[in-house]
Amino acid sequence: MWFNYSFYNIVLKESANFVYLYNSYSGALCKLEKAIHSQILNEEIDDNIKCEYFEQLLNQGFIKPVDLNEYNRIILNERIAILSNPQNTLSYVIAPTLACNLNCDYCFESGYRNNSIVNDAKIIEIADYILSRINAEVKTINVGWFGGEPLVAYNQILKFSNYIIPKLREKEVSFSSSMITNGVLLSKDKVKALAEQCNLKRVQITVDGTKNVYCARKHATPNQFDTLLKNIKEASNFIKISIRLNCDKNNFDDLKAVANKIIEQCDNKKNLSIYLAKLIDYMGCGGDQFFSQDAFDNKRIDFDKYICELLGKPYEPNIYKYRKSFCGLFKLNNHVIGPNGELYKCEHHVGQAEKVIGDIKYGLNYNDTFMRFLENKPLEMCKKCKIFPICLGGCPAQKFDLPQGESCFYSEFYIKKLFDRFIND
């Protein structure tokens, strides 16, 4: 049988005698003699090749059967992952309101926000809808609270949780929740109640910089910024806090200062994580303040190291590996639920009538928006990309929604930089 070089091999480094390879499908890393690398790179080989680790090269994906179509294998596995019923977990994002107490310049809901809040009857209907979808295999329900600002609907979140959790307990199904919030309304009393009554395990809070930068970009008051910092400190004593630092070229230089301030004030640093997030041009303004993926990746490794130093922990970045679907919401049976019981495939679509894919009363409507997510046709540039197994063409919603069509989440440069610490001659 004949074999050839995997398209998804990435040369990390070359020395006088060796080539360091990473395969983005298998996640394997190897140090290979240059002569062997040259042979498998430039010609087809058979299993009689004089190489004592031929089987390892094959099993780890650095070589593959000549007739094996690597791209089609990924696409098929993705389709199976999307359409398969979950074995034991159902996940939902619930947006109980489109109202927000801030007004971020870059908000992707700009033009769609309103003051609607789910009423008491509808929040129970949403709970009943989720309960109706539980079968004998389901053992866990995960809910992510979203908005608008979900804490504007704090009372409805408590009502939902106090209704559904006892019923799930009767079915021997566990329940946990998370939340994406701006944090200004996340007082000590609220976070304590959410942790105890709603099994809230983690919140993500977006911070855009120190006081002046934060207030300008979010149209917040100085008092709201001070309240936010106090809330982060107190909440970290109860739950995991993930601080998302949204950045572009205009605020990047300010982010180390605010990260330092947040870390310095928190007593329970074990519950705290901080990461950079590249701002996306959802409004299509085409300004030069937005980072390209390569430029962003060039900055975030050093930034991540800096954060680890502040937190007093070693820098141990995740080595990205092949995944069968881009995110949990991409799967057939996971949905986003809006304040009126409408269904979406992505939280970024809440409030957009043209992106509704059904409702909790009548189910899915199988429209073109829904089918586009299931089909998720990769862009031509993605098909030719060596890190496609890691990225899978990026976020489907971004690919559909952004005027420029950008959907990249990683760069080959970033992958190579992550492996620097493993490579020694």
Side-chain angles (χ1 to χ4, degrees):
M1 189 168 181
W2 291 89
F3 303 85
N4 62 355
Y5 195 76
S6 170
F7 176 77
Y8 298 115
N9 289 339
I10 297 174
V11 175
L12 302 174
K13 181 181 177 181
E14 292 189 52
S15 65
N17 300 310
F18 296 98
V19 175
Y20 295 83
L21 284 181
Y22 166 69
N23 186 273
S24 63
Y25 177 80
S26 68
L29 175 69
C30 76
K31 179 181 180 181
L32 196 60
E33 293 93 337
K34 270 196 165 181
I36 295 294
H37 179 258
S38 179
Q39 185 175 5
I40 65 173
L41 173 64
N42 296 311
E43 60 186 73
E44 295 180 359
I45 58 174
D46 65 16
D47 46 13
N48 293 317
I49 183 176
K50 293 181 180 179
C51 175
E52 59 184 306
Y53 40 80
F54 171 86
E55 291 296 330
Q56 288 93 324
L57 290 175
L58 180 61
N59 292 336
Q60 294 176 14
F62 295 108
I63 57 175
K64 50 87 178 177
V66 169
D67 293 331
L68 190 150
N69 188 308
E70 295 178 284
Y71 172 79
N72 284 347
R73 176 175 61 182
I74 293 169
I75 295 300
L76 178 59
N77 287 337
E78 181 188 46
R79 296 292 182 271
I80 293 171
I82 291 168
L83 297 174
S84 297
N85 289 321
Q87 294 300 308
N88 55 16
T89 301
L90 289 177
S91 298
Y92 299 91
V93 172
I94 303 176
T97 179
L98 292 178
C100 188
N101 55 324
L102 298 179
N103 186 23
C104 303
D105 286 338
Y106 51 80
C107 182
F108 55 82
E109 291 182 348
S110 179
Y112 300 101
R113 285 197 307 270
N114 57 55
N115 292 324
S116 65
I117 300 177
V118 65
N119 60 42
D120 288 351
K122 186 63 68 175
I123 200 67
I124 297 304
E125 287 179 27
I126 292 172
D128 284 335
Y129 168 75
I130 293 174
L131 289 167
S132 73
R133 292 169 62 81
I134 296 173
N135 59 35
E137 294 181 350
V138 175
K139 302 300 179 185
T140 302
I141 297 292
N142 295 324
V143 167
W145 295 104
F146 193 69
E149 168 50 50
L151 288 174
V152 171
Y154 169 73
N155 291 331
Q156 286 80 1
I157 292 173
L158 291 183
K159 187 176 186 68
F160 171 94
S161 302
N162 289 327
Y163 176 82
I164 200 172
I165 290 175
K167 294 183 179 297
L168 291 173
R169 194 176 295 125
E170 292 174 4
K171 297 175 178 287
E172 298 184 342
V173 175
S174 65
F175 176 87
S176 66
S177 65
S178 60
M179 181 180 292
I180 295 177
T181 170
N182 60 44
V184 175
L185 301 177
L186 191 66
S187 65
K188 180 179 178 179
D189 289 342
K190 285 181 180 177
V191 75
K192 188 172 184 292
L194 290 166
E196 292 175 353
Q197 298 181 47
C198 309
N199 205 17
L200 186 73
K201 298 294 188 181
R202 179 180 61 84
V203 298
Q204 176 189 294
I205 298 174
T206 301
V207 183
D208 290 8
T210 53
K211 184 178 291 186
N212 288 340
V213 174
Y214 178 91
C215 291
R217 294 167 77 93
K218 289 185 173 292
H219 299 273
T221 66
N223 182 60
Q224 285 176 315
F225 179 80
D226 293 337
T227 299
L228 168 65
L229 293 189
K230 178 185 177 183
N231 289 348
I232 291 173
K233 176 182 179 179
E234 293 178 340
S236 66
N237 292 317
F238 295 94
I239 58 176
K240 300 284 186 183
I241 306 291
S242 176
I243 303 296
R244 175 187 171 106
L245 299 175
N246 276 346
C247 76
D248 57 26
K249 296 175 185 177
N250 293 337
N251 75 328
F252 177 80
D253 292 336
D254 191 62
L255 294 178
K256 284 187 177 181
V258 74
N260 201 339
K261 189 175 184 68
I262 290 170
I263 292 170
E264 189 178 61
Q265 68 158 11
C266 286
D267 299 321
N268 191 354
K269 294 178 176 57
K270 290 183 179 179
N271 274 347
L272 191 65
S273 64
I274 300 179
Y275 71 100
L276 276 182
K278 179 169 69 80
L279 271 178
I280 305 298
D281 184 14
Y282 277 102
M283 305 305 294
C285 62
D288 62 1
Q289 74 267 32
F290 298 100
F291 283 118
S292 68
Q293 191 65 43
D294 282 351
F296 174 74
D297 286 340
N298 193 31
K299 291 183 175 293
R300 68 168 157 167
I301 291 177
D302 289 339
F303 194 93
D304 289 346
K305 290 178 180 178
Y306 174 78
I307 295 299
C308 287
E309 288 179 13
L310 292 180
L311 289 171
K313 63 181 183 181
Y315 173 65
E316 296 178 345
N318 291 325
I319 302 303
Y320 295 102
K321 297 180 180 179
Y322 165 62
R323 50 181 168 179
K324 293 183 179 179
S325 65
F326 182 81
C327 76
L329 284 174
F330 200 16
K331 293 179 179 293
L332 177 65
N333 291 313
N334 294 341
H335 307 307
V336 180
I337 305 174
N340 296 309
E342 72 277 24
L343 302 176
Y344 307 88
K345 281 308 291 178
C346 178
E347 65 261 34
H348 286 196
H349 291 164
V350 175
Q352 301 180 44
E354 68 275 16
K355 302 293 176 61
V356 171
I357 62 166
D359 62 65
I360 59 173
K361 185 174 182 180
Y362 298 107
L364 298 172
N365 58 22
Y366 304 99
N367 60 11
D368 290 344
T369 297
F370 176 75
M371 295 307 296
R372 284 184 73 187
F373 271 88
L374 296 189
E375 293 168 359
N376 188 29
K377 295 178 181 177
L379 301 173
E380 286 303 314
M381 67 177 184
C382 298
K383 296 178 182 180
K384 302 172 184 176
C385 180
K386 287 186 175 293
I387 61 171
F388 180 71
I390 302 171
C391 185
L392 294 179
C395 172
Q398 284 188 19
K399 185 164 55 184
F400 301 153
D401 297 346
L402 297 182
Q404 66 274 30
E406 180 187 353
S407 58
C408 296
F409 266 62
Y410 317 108
S411 66
E412 191 172 327
F413 162 84
Y414 183 63
I415 301 300
K416 290 179 178 179
K417 288 288 288 185
L418 285 181
F419 279 105
D420 280 350
R421 65 197 178 101
F422 295 114
I423 298 176
N424 295 297
D425 287 332

